Amino acid sequence: MSGELDEAVCALLEHSLRAWRVPGKIHREADGAWLIAAANKRVRIARAPADLPFRWTVADAERRRSATSVTGVLRHVRAALDSSYRSVSLRIAPLPPAP
Amino acid sequence: MIPVVVLTGFLGSGKTTLLGRLLRHPDFARTAVIINEFGEVGLDHDLVEASEESFVELQTGCLCCAVRGDLALTLANLLRRRDAGTVHPFERIAIETSGLADPAPILHTLMSDAHLARRLALAAVVATVDTVNGLATLERYPQSVKQVALADRLILTKTDLAQGQCADLAARLAALNPAAKREQAAFGEVDPARLFDTGHPASLRARDLSAWLGLDGRGDAPAAGHHAGISCFAILRNEPIKAIALTLFLEALAEHCGADLLRLKGIVNIAENPDHPAVIHGVQHVFHPPVWLDRWPSRDRRSRLVCIGRDIQHAWIEALIRAIEAEVAEVEAVGA
């Protein structure tokens, strides 16, 4: 994990917990993975092995998910911490605004 | 394309008075009107249409389906009758929402219905604000805050009755929605042309574009405001943004903020197309396709995004875009 991405992901996770109003802590593990302890759960975020077609894994006690970007990581982390979370998909209007 | 103005505003804020005056104005002839409440006003007008809902009480926007289908049907029927010559060939449409309505579902209908989008274009969201009671209304009713936050133009009504409340109200409105233009209407009088004149981003001059974004004369961000859970802030980027980073950013915003993202608009320097800025505009999770300008409207080539949202933290937005940009940079470095 590059230094810049490393710092940015950590900051994003910290701000996300705050934004979602989920009290919790984030720890760095020896192998570079991040461990989130929040909502009575532990969620581990690690870089995927280089031979796999995705970049990240997000694992909790129940399942392991893969993600191709930090936005995918964010989706999986939120879903792991809040089982009632339902994401909203971006929609693109058919035409540009105004005549 | 037929321009559509959505006229919103809290109960008693003067929407109907304003609309009544406008319909008698010669410049407002050839206007079809859709009102969201039966019997709210007896408009003696050939083109008055009324959708079924008397009112829709919305808190999060999730009830929008209740009004969407009906409004889309009403608009489609109106267009069909216009094509058939059974109504006057109107040149614009005004939709008056009920005083308790969330205007967002109406915007969604106009933006996302493929059939309507071919014929209709959202020209502006206009919100009336009662100068006498507006401040108290904004304190007490979150619907009114959202109506103001979503507006392109704010019409201050009953200014003839106001006694000293204007300055506080103006400050509150500026904090809630610095991008909205403000007009005063005494006795419901306002220039009709101004309601439909919001300007197409592609044709805006530099100063107008800054005004559309709510930026100051130097193109800098508006002062961040935060009232009743609604905040307005700007995201500035000196360096061009990769197209994939912008896409991921908008997807994540829509995904995590949804109905709380009241409005996002901005001009973006896309790294792959730096000479042609992209103007983006979204309401909640629905975005228009970007409008590509022929050239930068000024020497300022920074990306500037203005976000109005409910309970959305500026720091989270900044962290999100920073992480996305860092990952895109890492992927490109590995692939190079």
Side-chain angles (χ1 to χ4, degrees), chain A residues 1-2 4-5 8-9 11-12 15-21 47 55-56 68-71 74-76 78 85-99, chain B residues 1 3 68 111-114 117-118 121-122 200-201 248 250-252 254-256 258 281 285-289 291 311 313 315-316 319-320 322-324 326-327 330-331:
Chain A
M1 196 183 289
S2 73
E4 189 179 352
L5 181 57
V9 168
L12 176 60
H15 283 293
S16 296
L17 291 183
R18 233 170 278 149
W20 303 335
R21 294 186 174 84
R47 295 297 291 264
R55 292 174 50 80
W56 306 88
T68 54
S69 68
V70 290
T71 58
L74 210 55
R75 178 184 310 124
H76 293 327
R78 192 167 185 184
Y85 170 65
R86 296 289 178 270
S87 67
V88 177
S89 297
L90 177 70
R91 290 186 65 187
I92 301 296
L95 292 172
Chain B
M1 297 292 277
R68 263 190 191 174
M111 291 169 69
S112 58
D113 186 297
R118 279 193 288 272
L122 177 63
H200 183 214
L248 288 168
L250 295 180
E251 283 180 348
E255 177 177 339
H256 292 278
H281 182 201
H285 64 290
V286 182
F287 277 72
H288 289 291
V291 175
D311 294 329
Q313 297 179 7
W316 179 78
L320 174 64
R322 197 159 52 243
I324 291 170
E327 182 166 49
E330 185 187 89
V331 169

Side-chain angles (χ1 to χ4, degrees), chain B residues 173-233:
Chain B
L173 296 175
L176 275 173
N177 188 347
K181 296 177 183 174
R182 290 195 291 277
E183 310 270 351
Q184 295 199 352
F187 304 105
E189 295 292 350
V190 68
D191 180 1
R194 292 187 175 190
L195 294 189
F196 285 89
D197 174 27
T198 56
H200 183 214
S203 65
L204 292 175
R205 297 187 302 275
R207 193 180 58 186
D208 299 330
L209 189 63
S210 288
W212 183 69
L213 289 169
L215 304 173
D216 68 13
R218 294 168 301 166
D220 284 333
H226 191 284
H227 293 267
I230 306 279
S231 56
C232 175
F233 50 82

Side-chain angles (χ1 to χ4, degrees), chain B residues 150-171:
Chain B
L150 275 167
D152 295 295
R153 192 176 297 272
L154 298 170
I155 306 292
L156 301 178
T157 60
K158 307 180 186 177
T159 52
D160 45 300
L161 301 176
Q163 294 177 334
Q165 297 102 319
C166 294
D168 290 345
L169 179 61

